[in-house]
Structures are given as C-alpha cells and as structure tokens.
Amino acid sequence: MTAPLRQPSIRQTRFKIDGMNCASCAAKIETAVRRLDGVADVSVSVTGASMTVSHGDALPEDKVLQQVARLGYGIARAEAKIHGRASVAKAHDHADHDHEGHDHGGEPVGERTIGSAHLLGDAESRQAWWRSRRAALTLACAAALLAAYGIGHLFPAAERWVFLAALLVGLVPIARRALMAALAGTPFSIEILMTIAAGGAVMIGATEEAAAVVVLFLIGEMLEGVAAGRASIQGLADLVPKTALVERAGGTIEVPAEDLAVGDVIVVRPGDRIPADGKIVEGASAIDEAPVTGESTPKRKGVTDGVFAGTISTDGVLKVRVTAAASDNTIARVVRLVEEAQEAKAPTERFIDRFSRYYTPAVLVVGTLVTLLPPLVAGGDWNEWIYKGLAILLIGCPCALVISTPAALAAGLATGARHGLLMKGGAVLEGFRRITAVAFDKTGTLTAGKPVVTDIVAYGRDERTVLALAAALEQGSSHPLAVAILDKAKAAKAPVPPALAAKAIPGKGVEGSFGGVAVFLGSGQAAGERAAMTEAQRLAIDSLNGQGKTVSALVADGVVAGLIAMRDEPRPDAAAGIAALKAEGIRAVMLTGDNRRTAEAIAASLGIEARAELLPQDKLRIVGELQRGGLRVAKVGDGINDAPAFAAADIRIAMGGGTDVALETADAAILHGRVMDVARMVRLSRAVMANIGQNIAVALGLKAVFLVTTIAGITGLWPAILADTGATVLVTANAMRLLRWRG
C-alpha cells in the first residue's frame, strides 16, 4: 500500500527592512518576494519596518535577501537572542546593487522564532531620518539644483547642461529602482511615472523644471518615511531603561537591561523607570504607570504586587524579582503584537491596493491619450500637449492615495497600543466600527474577579472587633472569602489576635477560641445551628443574599456577634463603560453561569441586561441569536470558560493585564482591565475610518482639480508634482493626528 504523502509544513520567518516609506514600497517588496519559489505568502508593514514570509521547510533565504536588496532596501533576518545579544544575517553590499534607500549599519535588529513569527524589534533599528541615505540623496539633489541655478546665472550657455547634471543626481537612482521593480514584477510603479515624466521633460527642453520636480518628489518620499517612523510603536520600547541595578554578592552592579534573567533581584530607586516586569519583594512606592497605560494617578504598590517595565517608582526604593526576560516583558509583547498587526491588511486597505494596481496603468494611458489625441485629431502643438501629458503623469502618482489608508490604520493601531488597546490588525480595527452588540462575561470581566467585604453588621460589639475576630480565624487560609476578610482587616488596620485551636469544619466554616471564648465563622445556616437567631438577623441575611452577596455569620460564646457580607464587586468603571456603549448605540448584555440572584443584582447596579445560570452551549446559542437578529457581536472575556461563544463572535476581546492576557484566541485585548476601553475601541475605530475617508477625498480631490487645470493650460509640471507631494503631506499629517487621539 502506498504511504500517504506528507503535507509540507508552513513556517514563518520575520525580516527587518530599512528604507521603506510608503505603501507602494511595501507593495513592490511583497510582489518581488512572492514570486520566489517556495514562498507561500508575504506580508509587509511599513510602520513596523518588517516583513513576514510564509514558506515551506526550505526557504530560499539568500534569494529573499538579494531580491529585496536589489530593489534598493536594506534587509536583515533576525536570529534568536543568545545571552541577550541578537545575531543577525544581513544582506551585504553588492557592486551591482544600488542601496541608496537604506543604511547597512551593523547593529542587531531583532529576535525571530521560526514557526511562530514572534519578533522583538530593536528601537534603534529605525535610523533617524536625517541620517538615512534617502535624506542624503535628497539633500545632494537639492544642493545640485541650487548649484545649477548659480552656475546657470553666471554661465547662461551651460544652463541646460548643469540642470541636466542636477537632474541626473536624483533621477538615476529613481530610474534604477523603477527598472528593478519592473524586473521583480511591478512594471507600473511610482518610479516609472517619475522617470518617464522627467525624461520627457528633458526631451521638450524643460530640463530645469524636470530637475526641480525630482527634488520635490524626493522630499515627498522623505516626508512619507518620517511619517512612517512616527506611526511606529517602537517609541514605546524606549520607555524601558537600558541598564538595571542587580543584587549580586551582597551589593549591586549595573548590567544591561536586556541581560536580566528571570529570578534576578533588581533595585529601583525613587524616580527610576523599572527595567523589567516583576514582583516587589521589598519596599513600597507609588508607581506611575501613565507612560504605558495613560493612567494619571500613581498606584500604591508593595510586597507581592506586580510591576511592569517602563513604569516609574516615584517615592520609594524597591527590590523587584524579575518575572519575564526582556524579550517577553509587557512592552516587548505589545510592540511585537502591534508590529504583527500592522502587517494584517484591513478590507479598505486591500481595496485601495487592488485599485492602485489598475490606477497607475490607467494614468499612463490617460497621459498618452492627452499627449497624442489633440495634435493628431485637432492639430494641436506637439510640445504643448507632450508637456501636459507629462504633467498628468506626475498628477497621477498614487503616493497620496496608497498611503491614505495604511498611514491612518498604523497610527490608529499604535495609538491604541499606547492606551492599552491591542488590536490584531487593520481588519479588526476597521471591524469595531460595525459592532452593534457586546456580550460580557461577568466574573473577571465586569467584576474584578475576587470577592471583597462589602458589609459588616455588628451585634453587641463594634464592627472593628467583629472583623478582627473573623480575620483571626481565617489566618493562613487561601480561600477567596478568607482572603477577602484578611484584606479588609489589613486595610482597616484591625488587630488580628492569634486564634487557639483554630480548625476548619468541612462544609460549615471555621472555629477556634480567644481568651476562653469559643468563636465560629460560617454560613448563616451553620451559624443558626450553633446560636439562636432573631428575626431581624435572618431578615438581614436574606437582604444581603438578595443583593447577590455571600454572608458569613460570626458566633461568639453561643451568640451571633455579627455578619460579614462579601461579593465580587463590579470594576470601578463598569457602569460608566456600559453607559458609554449605550451612548454609541450599542446593546450590552451580560452572560454568566452564576446564580440568577447574584447576576441580576450586579446587572441592576450596572444597567445591563443579564442572562444567568448559563452553560457554555447556552452562551453560544445566545451569541447566535443576536447575530441572526442582525447584530454584529463582540464577546468580552477570557476565551477559556466559554470558548464556543468566544469563537462564534464577530470580534473577540480579551480582558486582562500584562502577560496574563488571553491573546492566543482573541482579536483584541484590553491590557488594563477597563470596561470603558470597549467603547474606546469602538470610538477609535470610527475615528480611524473617518480619517481614511478624509484622506481619500483629499488625495483624489486634489488630483481631480489639477487634472482639469493642467488640461486647461493653467498649471504645469511644478504644480503637478506639488499636487502629489502636497496631497501626500496633507494625507500623512491628517493620519498623524490620530497619534494625539485620547478617546
């Protein structure tokens, strides 16, 4: 019998790319690499300066490096970090390659895990724009143009030749990129339009204008690169300090933060940024998390509390045990996830990409018709109509159009991440604006996930004494209700005396003695078996239970001494978060397996519809019912207890913090546990899509205006390229406004 053929496994490899400045660059690289044998898929992020290649077991890696370098971009394959240092395979310089668009610095650029596409970008890998080779080329071309004006003024006979020389400084690299792009599968590129227009201008004697147009084109490209850098999330990585003070041999030594290992104990002084995720083992301080979470009020943290990299200890010395390596701390994970998200294209972005494939050839056809038809049909002047046709080629450069969508999406994703709102790609970001219903888990989502003491009712003693006696019995217990009582006693500074002969009574409670007085803490029913309860006490227990609270009764010396009520309370912003969704016209519903009384009590306090006592299949059924009713449903939870409903939702949102976020199955994550952030994601999505609409209108509107004025003879080559460069600047600046979004 013939053995079945083994299906080839698909792996992913990440690369860092230097020199990209717009979506057209990404499209050229994607097309070129996709043509290589063994490559299954390619995704490129301009703002992340990265590329992910999906391939079989054998990746033609050298061909990938050469193919991208041949287009004029720097490329580096990231290797796994060894002892904190990244080893990087880089495309080397070739004598026959033009690398004007990038820099071949030797610094490591990242970390790659074959098969899972995890990559930690180095914030230093994106070079300052004024140091890039593209900036150097732009300055050289501008200087050559100024020199040509000076020489032409002094020597009028040489004017045409000096302007031609100035033109060639910038045009030769552009023409080379156009040729390489054509050979790699992109014959209709922006560079080809520029090359034809500049060459044609020289042929009709407009050499000076051609040289100026090339300078303006290069300036526009450089501005796009600056914008791509601003939309990058890499600035977040700069929040982590480069060095850390580590305890070693009774003292402290300074080491690179990237060399910290899990288990190291670091010292953080007042005013210092914390260099790693960890848990406080000594000291207490107010932690300023605003740089990372946007929270304006510092949080007081002490021993056993978690802290994460990039936050600031404001007023105390801390010793922190490291819990995550540099490549896996909270900020690194955010950077990695957003970079990957920026490679995932939204439907609008895919439409613009498809449109641009036909748009550029159409521009060439229109330019050719404008050049040929008037002279051939109506006897027009050839030079005049050739000039107008060349101007139309420049007007038609799709720079502004193709950057209109990805610039806004990248800025939106980066802004969201800086506010703790992670979304896995432009499709998810775009999808939030269409959400019309949100289904929440209760425990750990709308509530904090752990009970707290809400009420203390004392009989014959004061509340502080009741709390102290209950806490004494619960010492050493890890039961959630016991922890709630101990936390309340600590917060109230209630004295907790040691209990004698304390022991648990299975199914009933815990008992012990203090000063010869027998004390018991347990359920109301168990307490009623040990002491006579008044009608008022029974009514008090029923009332508290009716509010969804768990009640423990304290019996001292055979008499009910007090009641302690506990409940998993809603998050502080839960009610405001639900109200914000309703204000956006979005229906909110709570799905929980908890008992109906507790669920309805919580729901009433939040103003949300409740469905209680549900099994996982019930939650799936309700999500389906909402969808069949025409609603687009987002599900908020951990994706574990109710995986079927989570998977069925249109958008899946994980609620959590730091490294505990359930991101594997989620489309988006709320890092800082704020219910309000669901509404903020919707508002951010709507702001981004409105921005994209504005960008497309500006890009196409300016082109339409200058198309008419050019054919009418009002404008020429200079205004034509300014129309494209100006539109690109306007579109980019408009997209960058999203970086200041506050929601």
Side-chain angles (χ1 to χ4, degrees):
M1 185 174 65
T2 304
L5 293 175
R6 184 173 66 88
Q7 295 295 321
S9 60
I10 298 296
R11 302 185 180 186
Q12 291 182 320
T13 305
R14 303 283 310 272
F15 296 86
K16 296 296 288 184
I17 298 178
D18 293 335
M20 291 191 296
N21 54 28
C22 73
S24 292
C25 297
K28 283 184 291 188
I29 293 169
E30 185 175 318
T31 300
V33 175
R34 199 182 292 275
R35 289 161 61 94
L36 297 174
D37 291 337
V39 172
D41 195 16
V42 182
S43 57
V44 182
S45 168
V46 176
T47 51
S50 63
M51 173 176 69
T52 296
V53 180
S54 300
H55 56 88
D57 291 334
L59 172 68
E61 189 172 296
D62 290 343
K63 291 183 180 179
V64 172
L65 297 174
Q66 292 171 10
Q67 189 86 320
V68 175
R70 198 175 287 125
L71 292 172
Y73 303 96
I75 179 170
R77 178 179 62 82
E79 292 283 6
K81 278 192 176 182
I82 302 173
H83 302 303
R85 296 190 177 275
S87 171
V88 178
K90 299 205 75 165
H92 54 281
D93 285 317
H94 297 273
D96 60 339
H97 294 170
D98 174 30
H99 296 274
E100 58 84 20
H102 63 278
D103 178 72
H104 277 292
E107 291 298 317
V109 296
E111 175 182 81
R112 186 253 313 164
T113 303
I114 292 286
S116 64
H118 285 175
L119 175 137
L120 172 64
D122 188 333
E124 295 177 358
S125 68
R126 187 181 285 278
Q127 193 179 42
W129 67 268
W130 61 87
R131 295 180 180 175
S132 68
R133 293 196 178 188
R134 193 176 299 280
L137 174 66
T138 304
L139 292 174
C141 194
L145 179 61
L146 291 174
Y149 276 116
I151 295 171
H153 182 72
L154 295 174
F155 306 100
E159 184 178 55
R160 175 179 173 82
W161 300 105
V162 293
F163 277 113
L164 181 61
L167 168 68
L168 293 176
V169 171
L171 187 60
V172 168
I174 293 171
R176 188 173 187 82
R177 283 157 51 194
L179 176 61
M180 292 303 172
L183 294 175
T186 309
F188 300 110
S189 62
I190 295 171
E191 287 83 0
I192 199 69
L193 293 179
M194 190 68 237
T195 302
I196 293 171
V202 171
M203 292 176 61
I204 62 172
T207 308
E208 177 184 344
E209 279 192 85
V213 160
V214 168
V215 171
L216 291 172
F217 175 77
L218 291 173
I219 290 172
E221 280 198 325
M222 189 170 65
L223 290 174
E224 290 173 1
V226 173
R230 285 193 63 197
S232 172
I233 194 64
Q234 284 291 352
L236 194 58
D238 294 335
L239 293 174
V240 181
K242 302 299 181 186
T243 61
L245 289 175
V246 183
E247 282 194 338
R248 296 278 167 82
T252 59
I253 61 171
E254 189 171 75
V255 302
E258 65 176 9
D259 289 344
L260 290 173
V262 175
D264 282 345
V265 175
I266 56 178
V267 177
V268 182
R269 298 164 299 193
D272 284 355
R273 288 189 185 272
I274 298 171
D277 285 5
K279 285 195 173 182
I280 299 172
V281 295
E282 185 179 315
S285 177
I287 306 298
D288 180 5
E289 298 182 342
V292 180
T293 69
E295 290 286 353
S296 58
T297 305
K299 294 181 180 178
R300 195 75 192 174
K301 294 190 176 184
V303 175
T304 75
D305 287 332
V307 294
F308 52 92
T311 55
I312 303 167
S313 174
T314 61
D315 60 3
V317 177
L318 300 176
K319 289 187 179 180
V320 177
R321 189 176 304 280
V322 176
T323 57
S327 61
D328 199 39
N329 66 34
T330 301
I331 287 180
R333 293 177 74 248
V334 169
V335 170
R336 182 165 63 236
L337 288 163
V338 175
E339 283 188 337
E340 292 172 2
Q342 288 175 341
E343 292 176 8
K345 293 184 178 179
T348 302
E349 189 174 1
R350 288 195 294 268
F351 171 76
I352 294 295
D353 283 350
R354 289 195 301 272
F355 178 76
S356 65
R357 292 193 193 109
Y358 300 101
Y359 174 85
T360 306
V363 168
L364 282 169
V365 171
V366 171
T368 302
L369 292 176
V370 168
T371 299
L372 297 178
L373 289 182
L376 292 177
V377 175
D381 179 71
W382 277 100
N383 273 5
E384 177 188 349
W385 287 100
I386 288 173
Y387 182 87
K388 289 180 179 180
L390 296 175
I392 285 172
L393 293 186
L394 297 180
I395 291 169
C397 283
C399 296
L401 181 63
V402 296
I403 203 173
S404 62
T405 300
L409 289 171
L413 289 168
T415 297
R418 288 167 182 158
H419 290 81
L421 314 176
L422 285 187
M423 286 166 274
K424 288 186 174 179
V428 175
L429 176 56
E430 184 173 337
F432 265 100
R433 70 167 173 161
R434 293 190 289 270
I435 289 299
T436 51
V438 178
F440 289 92
D441 283 351
K442 180 182 76 69
T443 305
T445 300
L446 289 175
T447 66
K450 60 179 182 178
V452 296
V453 173
T454 59
D455 302 88
I456 300 173
V457 182
Y459 301 106
R461 291 174 170 80
D462 59 56
E463 294 180 3
R464 186 181 173 89
T465 301
V466 170
L467 180 60
L469 291 173
L473 286 174
E474 297 287 17
Q475 286 183 93
S477 174
S478 59
H479 189 281
L481 296 180
V483 171
I485 291 172
L486 291 167
D487 286 346
K488 180 66 173 179
K490 181 180 178 181
K493 295 184 171 56
V496 182
L500 298 177
K503 63 179 181 179
I505 309 298
K508 295 185 181 294
V510 60
E511 66 178 5
S513 65
F514 300 93
V517 177
V519 182
F520 170 82
L521 181 68
S523 66
Q525 182 179 349
E529 297 171 358
R530 293 171 174 254
M533 278 195 180
T534 66
E535 186 62 21
Q537 290 169 344
R538 294 185 189 278
L539 289 174
I541 292 174
D542 289 342
S543 174
L544 292 169
N545 285 333
Q547 298 170 41
K549 298 174 182 179
T550 299
V551 180
S552 292
L554 181 73
V555 177
D557 207 13
V559 177
V560 175
L563 306 175
I564 298 178
M566 290 159 282
R567 188 173 69 178
D568 181 12
E569 287 290 85
R571 293 179 183 271
D573 74 329
I578 299 300
L581 285 172
K582 291 181 178 179
E584 296 291 338
I586 297 170
R587 178 180 174 185
V589 58
M590 181 175 75
L591 307 181
T592 179
D594 208 344
N595 69 78
R596 188 171 305 280
R597 178 183 285 186
T598 299
E600 290 178 350
I602 294 288
S605 68
L606 299 180
I608 187 174
E609 174 186 350
R611 306 283 186 91
E613 298 176 357
L614 301 175
L615 296 173
Q617 58 265 34
D618 297 323
K619 296 181 181 181
L620 173 62
R621 172 180 52 78
I622 292 169
V623 168
E625 288 173 356
L626 293 171
Q627 291 170 326
R628 286 190 293 275
L631 300 177
R632 291 185 63 85
V633 182
K635 180 71 173 67
V636 188
D638 60 15
I640 299 171
N641 296 331
D642 52 358
F646 204 66
D650 296 291
I651 290 182
R652 297 163 287 277
I653 307 170
M655 174 80 81
T659 57
D660 296 326
V661 178
L663 282 171
E664 293 305 316
T665 56
D667 299 310
I670 295 170
L671 286 185
H672 308 304
R674 296 182 290 238
V675 177
M676 178 64 76
D677 283 351
V678 179
R680 296 181 78 212
M681 282 180 163
V682 174
R683 289 199 290 263
L684 176 59
S685 173
R686 292 175 179 175
V688 168
M689 298 313 296
N691 190 281
I692 288 172
Q694 296 161 6
N695 289 347
I696 293 173
V698 168
L700 294 180
L702 276 178
K703 291 182 186 303
V705 169
F706 279 90
L707 176 64
V708 172
T709 57
T710 297
I711 292 176
I714 300 172
T715 56
L717 290 181
W718 278 63
I721 193 63
L722 281 174
D724 180 66
T725 302
T728 300
V729 171
L730 288 175
V731 162
T732 303
N734 189 46
M736 292 307 100
R737 287 193 307 113
L738 291 167
L739 295 174
R740 298 192 298 272
W741 180 87
R742 292 291 179 268

